[in-house]
Amino acid sequence: MSINCVTFPLPGEGPEQQLLKPDEWSYCDYFWADKKDPQGATSLPGFEVLLQKQLKGKQMQKEMSEFIHERTKIEEEYAKNLSKLSLSPLAAQEEGTLGEAWTQLKKSLHDEAEVHLKFANKLHTEVEKPLLTFRGDHFKKDLKKYDHHMADLRKQLASRFASVEKARKALADRQKDLEVKTQQLEVKLSNKTEEDIKKARRKSTQAGDDLMRCVDLYNQTQSKWFEEMVTASMELEKLEVERIEWIQQHLRQYTTLRHETDMFNQSTVEPVDQLLQNVDPSKDRELWVKENKTGEVRPVDMDI
C-alpha cells in the first residue's frame, strides 16, 4: 500500500521486517511513516519530527543556560549582601572571649561572601557559558541543509509516484481500448481491421513497458531516500546523544561547584566554632574586671 507516495507492505504480507538496530530504540527504525498534526489537516514527515526534536533540544539548552544565569545573579547578590553585613558595627564593642568569637563570626561572613562570589564566577564560566555557546548559529543552518535535502528526496519520490500513477492509468486506458476493439471485431460491429487491433496491442504493450520503467525509477528513488533516511537519522541520533552528554557533564559541574561551596563555607565557620567553644564567662569576667576595676578595698564598719 502507498501512504503519502511511500510504499509499505500490507499487514501480514511479505517476509517479516527486522529492526535495523534491535533493542536500541534507534531513530532509524521508528520514523518511516508520516505523523498527522493535532488537527489532522497535514502530515509531518518522520524526519521532520526528528528535526523538531533537535530544535527543541537547542531551545532547552538555551533555557537551561538562562536558568543558571539567574542562579548566578542570586549568588552575586547574596555575596554582596554578606560582604556588606560583615562590615556592620553592630555589637562591635563586645569584649573578651565572646567578643573574639563575635568578631570571627563577622569575618566569616566576609569569607563566605568571597566563596559565593567565586561560585558565581565559576557558574558563569563553567556552566552557563558552555550551555549557551554549545552549537552556535551554524547548527540551525546545518539542520536546514538536512531538511532541504530530505524534502527534495520526498519531492522526487512524489514526482516518481505521480508518473507511476499516470502510467498505470495510461495502461488501463490502452487495455480497455484494445478490449473494446477486439470485441467489436469479433461481433463485426465495426470496420476495424486486424491492423487496428495490432496497433492497439502495440500501444498497450508500450504502455506496460512505460509503467514498468516508471515503477523502476520510483523504486530507485525510494531506495535512495531510504538510504539517506537511515544515514541522516543516525546522524541526528548521534547529535542528540552528544547534546545530552554535554548537558549532563556541565550539570555535574554545577553540583561539584555547589559541593565545593558548601565545603568552603564550612571552613569559614570552623574558626567561629572553635572560638565559641573557647568562650568562658569566668575568663571574660576576669578580663573585664582587670580592665575596669575601681578598687579592691572593701568598705568596713565605722569606728566610734
Side-chain angles (χ1 to χ4, degrees):
M1 61 179 179
S2 299
I3 303 176
N4 293 338
C5 304
V6 179
T7 54
F8 297 94
L10 289 170
E13 292 190 5
E16 182 179 355
Q17 292 185 349
Q18 300 297 321
L19 295 177
L20 299 175
K21 300 186 72 175
D23 303 321
E24 293 190 29
W25 291 96
S26 176
Y27 288 175
C28 68
D29 277 317
Y30 296 97
F31 292 90
W32 292 105
D34 295 345
K35 178 182 180 181
K36 286 188 176 181
D37 67 5
Q39 288 74 29
T42 59
S43 293
L44 196 66
F47 188 75
E48 190 68 28
V49 175
L50 295 178
L51 285 178
Q52 288 187 357
K53 169 64 174 171
Q54 292 293 318
L55 293 173
K56 181 180 179 181
K58 178 69 174 174
Q59 178 62 26
M60 294 301 97
Q61 166 196 326
K62 178 183 178 183
E63 292 183 13
M64 288 179 186
S65 178
E66 292 174 354
F67 180 90
I68 299 298
H69 177 71
E70 292 301 316
R71 182 72 173 88
T72 301
K73 286 168 61 178
I74 291 172
E75 286 296 322
E76 290 173 341
E77 189 65 24
Y78 184 51
K80 177 182 177 181
N81 289 333
L82 282 179
S83 181
K84 181 180 179 181
L85 184 59
S86 72
L87 300 176
S88 170
L90 293 173
Q93 294 181 351
E94 182 60 59
E95 301 168 329
T97 57
L98 181 58
E100 291 176 1
W102 178 250
T103 300
Q104 184 60 46
L105 185 146
K106 289 167 65 178
K107 182 181 182 300
S108 74
L109 291 188
H110 175 76
D111 296 338
E112 188 177 349
E114 290 295 317
V115 170
H116 282 276
L117 188 58
K118 288 179 180 178
F119 176 50
N121 291 334
K122 287 187 176 182
L123 275 184
H124 172 69
T125 58
E126 299 180 21
V127 183
E128 176 192 343
K129 192 173 180 180
L131 286 177
L132 182 63
T133 57
F134 181 60
R135 293 178 180 159
D137 295 336
H138 69 278
F139 180 67
K140 290 186 177 181
K141 294 180 181 178
D142 291 341
L143 290 184
K144 285 185 178 180
K145 290 180 182 178
Y146 278 118
D147 190 14
H148 292 160
H149 179 59
M150 297 308 300
D152 286 343
L153 289 176
R154 280 298 293 265
K155 288 179 181 178
Q156 293 176 27
L157 196 60
S159 177
R160 296 299 187 190
F161 185 84
S163 295
V164 169
E165 292 301 296
K166 183 178 180 180
R168 198 187 305 278
K169 183 179 183 305
L171 175 60
D173 291 342
R174 293 302 182 187
Q175 288 178 331
K176 184 177 181 180
D177 181 58
L178 175 61
E179 181 180 351
V180 169
K181 288 181 177 179
T182 302
Q183 290 176 351
Q184 288 177 343
L185 180 64
E186 289 175 351
V187 297
K188 296 182 179 179
L189 294 177
S190 172
N191 293 326
K192 301 295 183 183
T193 63
E194 284 290 338
E195 188 61 33
D196 293 327
I197 300 299
K198 289 180 181 179
K199 185 177 180 180
R201 187 174 290 114
R202 284 196 303 270
K203 289 183 177 181
S204 177
T205 301
Q206 183 179 358
D209 291 341
D210 288 343
L211 176 60
M212 291 179 62
R213 180 180 59 81
C214 289
V215 168
D216 184 56
L217 290 174
Y218 170 85
N219 287 335
Q220 291 178 32
T221 303
Q222 181 165 257
S223 178
K224 181 180 180 182
W225 171 74
F226 176 89
E227 292 174 359
E228 292 295 315
M229 270 288 290
V230 172
T231 301
S233 63
M234 292 294 292
E235 183 61 28
L236 294 184
E237 182 177 303
K238 177 183 175 183
L239 290 174
E240 180 64 3
V241 170
E242 289 176 353
R243 183 187 75 90
I244 292 175
E245 290 180 346
W246 177 267
I247 293 176
Q248 178 192 34
Q249 173 189 342
H250 288 84
L251 293 186
R252 280 180 172 175
Q253 181 63 9
Y254 168 84
T255 60
T256 298
L257 292 173
R258 190 67 188 83
H259 289 315
E260 288 178 357
T261 301
D262 289 340
M263 182 179 64
F264 290 139
N265 278 338
Q266 181 63 34
S267 69
T268 66
V269 174
E270 287 173 357
V272 181
D273 283 337
Q274 293 174 1
L275 287 174
L276 287 174
Q277 290 173 7
N278 293 332
V279 169
D280 184 349
S282 298
K283 181 67 175 176
D284 285 3
R285 185 171 63 251
E286 175 188 345
L287 294 173
W288 186 83
V289 168
K290 286 181 178 180
E291 185 175 343
N292 296 278
K293 63 184 180 179
T294 61
E296 299 177 31
V297 179
R298 296 186 298 277
V300 295
D301 291 342
M302 181 184 298
D303 290 336
I304 297 177

